[in-house]
Amino acid sequence: MTADKEFKKVTTNTLQKMKAAGEKISMITAYDYSFAKLFDAAGIDIILVGDSASNVMAGHTTTLPITLDQMIYHAQSVVRARERCLVVTDLPFGSYQSNSEIALASAIRIMKESGAHTVKLEGGEEIIDSVKKIVSAGIPVMGHLGLTPQSINKFGTYVVRATEETEAEKLKKDALLLQEAGCFAIVLEKIPAALAKEVSESLHIPTIGIGAGGACDGQVLVMHDMLGINTEFKPRFLRRYLNLDEQITGAIKQYVSDIKSSDFPNENEQY
Ligand code: KIV
């Protein structure tokens, strides 16, 4: 590794400088070595090993079933591919909500066993002790407010959050609490763009939006959604950059057909 490459590695400090300079932050989810290698080489700033792995990798309908061991496995694979970007790993449902000691123990396992650089937790005031405890152990924490998928059974629906004043006021208060507790950034998921703008302008740490408008300091999308692998999920905020579903299905159909017709392998594809 050259000194030059070292210099370019993204750290939590880099992100603070990017916000101060008005430079937007790019973030995407990844859960395995091969995709993480491509995303890192393409210049992404942050890879989030999201608990959305529960949906897109394991086929569950919510993020709740994924375990700490499974998150560590995904994070290890991503970290092996990383040369430049920052790797953030979600603390899964059940690994931090009960108390701050358990939260710290879970965060330490992620850091020690996967080599990820930071952890992400969902929630505001209700998890603030855990955030403080984890930060005081030297582990950087990313917050997550708005639509927090681990609370889907409380919300009952994936609609836009904080459209009512009470919830919007709580979100603004929570954002400040998370900043005071030492978070280095906060994900804002599926909230009105005007609220996300107000929150982003009120904080000195960066906000990373998903369905929260263009005024956030950065943006994140789930890789399977933006690459068109998962075509069932079509929220308004999603921009599709590829239609891999069509391309992969086409390629596999062609492969099956080539095998059936004995076209594959041909003379040049054998020894
Ligand atoms: O798990 C995840 O993919 C996330 C993003 C939606 C921010 O938390």
Side-chain angles (χ1 to χ4, degrees):
M1 189 73 49
T2 65
D4 190 37
K5 252 183 167 175
E6 275 307 323
F7 178 71
K8 285 180 187 156
K9 281 187 200 305
V10 179
T11 66
T12 55
N13 286 337
T14 317
L15 304 178
Q16 312 307 312
K17 286 185 194 145
M18 287 171 83
K19 167 146 183 156
E23 187 187 336
K24 296 277 187 178
I25 298 164
S26 59
M27 173 160 133
I28 190 167
T29 66
Y31 319 92
D32 75 337
Y33 174 84
S34 301
F35 275 111
K37 199 166 167 61
L38 289 172
F39 300 163
D40 184 67
I44 202 83
D45 297 313
I46 308 174
I47 289 183
L48 169 65
V49 185
D51 59 358
S52 49
S54 180
N55 308 100
V56 297
M57 300 300 286
H60 294 296
T61 52
T62 72
T63 58
L64 274 66
I66 199 159
T67 65
L68 186 56
D69 284 339
Q70 288 165 341
M71 287 304 299
I72 289 169
Y73 167 78
H74 287 298
Q76 286 168 338
S77 309
V78 166
V79 168
R80 271 180 224 123
R82 177 267 185 181
E83 290 216 18
R84 172 188 170 274
C85 68
L86 186 81
V87 179
V88 180
T89 300
D90 267 335
L91 281 185
F93 178 68
S95 72
Y96 63 96
Q97 285 90 350
S98 41
N99 67 54
S100 61
E101 298 290 336
I102 289 179
L104 177 59
S106 301
I108 287 176
R109 277 202 63 201
I110 287 191
M111 302 298 283
K112 271 182 109 78
E113 295 177 40
S114 77
H117 309 118
T118 84
V119 295
K120 175 164 82 59
L121 282 72
E122 294 183 6
E125 192 176 4
E126 44 300 313
I127 56 142
I128 218 71
D129 289 344
S130 298
V131 172
K132 285 183 187 158
K133 190 98 181 157
I134 296 171
V135 170
S136 70
I139 301 172
V141 173
M142 178 178 272
H144 186 156
L145 296 172
L147 176 61
T148 45
Q150 292 178 13
S151 301
I152 186 59
N153 292 307
K154 185 175 83 181
F155 298 146
T157 155
Y158 287 100
V159 294
V160 183
R161 303 305 314 175
T163 51
E164 304 291 334
E165 201 184 329
T166 323
E167 195 176 332
E169 286 307 315
K170 174 167 165 36
L171 191 143
K172 286 190 253 178
K173 200 174 137 211
D174 281 344
L176 287 171
L177 282 174
L178 288 172
Q179 174 174 267
E180 278 164 27
C183 281
F184 71 90
I186 303 176
V187 166
L188 298 176
E189 180 164 354
K190 220 168 174 189
I191 62 169
L195 175 61
K197 182 172 190 288
E198 196 183 333
V199 172
S200 302
E201 286 171 359
S202 73
L203 300 178
H204 58 77
I205 59 170
T207 58
I208 313 286
I210 172 162
C216 294
D217 303 299
Q219 297 292 327
V220 58
L221 286 175
V222 170
M223 60 160 280
H224 290 69
D225 302 335
M226 66 89 76
L227 294 176
I229 300 173
N230 167 21
T231 51
E232 286 143 39
F233 185 62
K234 297 177 190 156
R236 190 204 301 195
F237 68 77
L238 175 63
R239 186 178 292 182
R240 265 215 183 105
Y241 287 84
L242 277 178
N243 276 313
L244 280 186
D245 172 47
E246 269 174 40
Q247 286 176 276
I248 292 173
T249 306
I252 299 301
K253 279 187 176 164
Q254 187 63 52
Y255 175 58
V256 170
S257 152
D258 289 352
I259 293 171
K260 302 281 180 197
S261 67
S262 296
D263 178 82
F264 176 78
N266 65 25
E267 278 180 14
N268 297 325
E269 292 162 331
Q270 63 192 15
Y271 299 98

